[in-house]
């Protein structure tokens, strides 16, 4: 069994159902403070009250621990995913984590905890989920000037193809451009190719794509070779997001983030290293067969 980054499917590329989109302005609504240098700096700024009310005055209403597996029709692999979720009043924050990193007792121990305690002392995935819930509460995706994309009702394969087409649609690349893919999802590999890109897949848990392409574990090599990068929000969970962000900034190459994990956290870096974002707040699309919405953000120019 293996773990697959968000989202998890393994399907052959086929003709996609149409997604419905609601246009947005090219530049998202401005944030109230300057972007932080990295994730830890953002947490410190939030704790200091620079993004809104002090987290010490807020309480995590609920903490959820979710573990699910996926075995697709005709497949021989079971993909396993784990998420920790924080509900803060009318907002949710989420972050994936590796198997065994957090146990289900987190629901008992952390529900009702002050939000600042979770941001300071919890395991990193729970810190990210708490931060995500806070930032989503301050500025919900639905009200942030993003382009709303409605994923169609249907099977996991149908919905994953529509989602990954929406993610790949954020790439602005020349034909033949090398696209670093940090966190491999097979339909996203196909979608990048359909846009003329040559994927450079990188993942800690997979060794080959569905089509036999080798998958490296050397993220640094991919970041040096790529003309553009597409990275999963799970980089927020394992601490590699700042490395990806810094190298893309230094090289001046586009960085597209697709995030169920920490979608509001990744949004805080738009225009400061992140060029575009596909944000999918909870409930995530794999938990429903009905239409759901993701939100696409683009910067006005190079980040």
């Amino acid at each position: 069994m293996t773990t697959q980054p968000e989202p998890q499917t393994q399907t052959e590329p086929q003709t996609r159902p149409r997604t419905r989109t609601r246009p947005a302005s090219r530049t998202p609504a401005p944030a109230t403070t300057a972007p932080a240098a990295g994730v830890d700096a953002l947490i410190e700024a939030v704790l200091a009250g620079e993004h809104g009310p002090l987290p010490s005055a807020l309480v995590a209403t609920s903490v959820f621990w979710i573990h699910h597996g996926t075995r697709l029709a005709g497949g021989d692999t079971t993909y396993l995913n784990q998420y920790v979720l924080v509900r803060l009043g009318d907002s949710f924050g989420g972050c994936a984590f590796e198997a065994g990193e957090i146990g289900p007792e987190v629901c008992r121990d952390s529900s009702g905890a002050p939000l600042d305690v979770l941001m300071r002392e919890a395991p990193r995935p729970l810190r990210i989920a708490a931060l995500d819930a806070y930032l989503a509460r301050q500025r919900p995706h639905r009200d942030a000037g993003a382009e709303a994309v409605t994923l169609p009702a249907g099977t996991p394969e149908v919905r994953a193809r529509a989602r990954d087409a929406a993610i790949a649609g954020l790439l602005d690349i020349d034909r033949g451009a090398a696209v670093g893919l940090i966190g491999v999802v097979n339909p996203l590999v196909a979608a990048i190719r359909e846009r003329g890109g040559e994927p450079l897949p990188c993942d800690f848990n997979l060794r080959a794509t569905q089509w036999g392409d080798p998958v490296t574990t050397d993220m640094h090599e991919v970041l040096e070779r790529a003309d553009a990068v597409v990275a999963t929000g799970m980089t927020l969970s394992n601490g590699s997001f700042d490395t990806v962000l810094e190298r893309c900034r230094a090289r001046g190459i586009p960085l597209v983030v697709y995030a169920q994990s920490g979608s509001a956290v990744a949004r805080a870096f738009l225009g400061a290293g992140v060029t575009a974002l596909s944000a999918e707040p909870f409930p995530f699309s794999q938990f429903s067969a009905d239409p759901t919405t993701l939100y696409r953000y683009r910067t006005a120019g190079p980040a």
Side-chain angles (χ1 to χ4, degrees), residues 42-241:
L42 176 61
I43 292 175
E44 290 304 316
V46 168
L47 288 169
E50 296 178 15
H51 289 257
L54 288 170
S56 57
L58 303 172
V59 172
T61 308
S62 302
V63 173
F64 303 80
W65 184 93
I66 298 176
H67 189 158
H68 73 90
T70 300
R71 173 70 69 95
L72 296 169
D76 59 1
T77 302
T78 299
Y79 296 114
L80 301 179
N81 286 79
Q82 301 81 216
Y83 297 92
V84 62
L85 305 169
V86 172
R87 183 166 190 171
L88 179 62
D90 59 357
S91 74
F92 283 86
C95 190
F97 61 91
E98 295 291 343
E101 192 174 3
I102 297 176
E105 64 276 4
V106 70
C107 303
R108 176 196 64 213
D109 298 340
S110 299
S111 295
L115 204 66
D116 67 315
V117 172
L118 298 186
M119 288 189 189
R120 295 182 195 275
E121 302 176 8
R124 185 173 184 84
L126 182 51
R127 293 176 69 203
I128 296 297
L131 177 63
D132 191 37
Y134 177 94
L135 294 173
R137 178 179 182 267
Q138 294 305 109
R139 192 165 162 241
H141 290 294
R142 64 182 176 273
D143 300 329
E147 175 192 13
V149 178
T150 301
L151 302 179
T155 66
E157 294 83 0
V158 165
R159 289 169 58 74
R161 287 194 297 270
R163 175 173 50 189
D164 292 331
I167 295 167
L170 292 169
L171 280 169
D172 184 10
I173 55 173
D174 296 327
R175 182 162 295 278
V179 179
L181 180 56
I182 311 299
V184 175
V185 184
N186 283 312
L188 187 49
V189 172
I192 289 170
R193 284 201 169 109
E194 288 179 10
R195 292 191 66 83
E198 291 296 330
L200 302 175
C202 175
D203 198 289
F204 294 134
N205 296 308
L206 298 179
R207 294 298 172 263
T209 69
Q210 175 181 344
W211 302 278
D213 309 286
V215 176
T216 183
T217 59
D218 189 342
M219 181 181 71
H220 300 281
E221 176 191 4
V222 168
L223 292 174
E224 294 307 315
R225 292 176 55 196
D227 300 310
V229 173
V230 177
T232 172
M234 285 184 70
T235 54
L236 290 162
S237 177
N238 64 24
S240 61
F241 178 83

Side-chain angles (χ1 to χ4, degrees), residues 20-25 141-143 145-150 293 295-296:
R20 299 194 302 276
T21 64
R22 185 169 69 242
S25 59
H141 290 294
R142 64 182 176 273
D143 300 329
E147 175 192 13
V149 178
T150 301
T293 304
Y295 298 89
R296 298 201 303 185

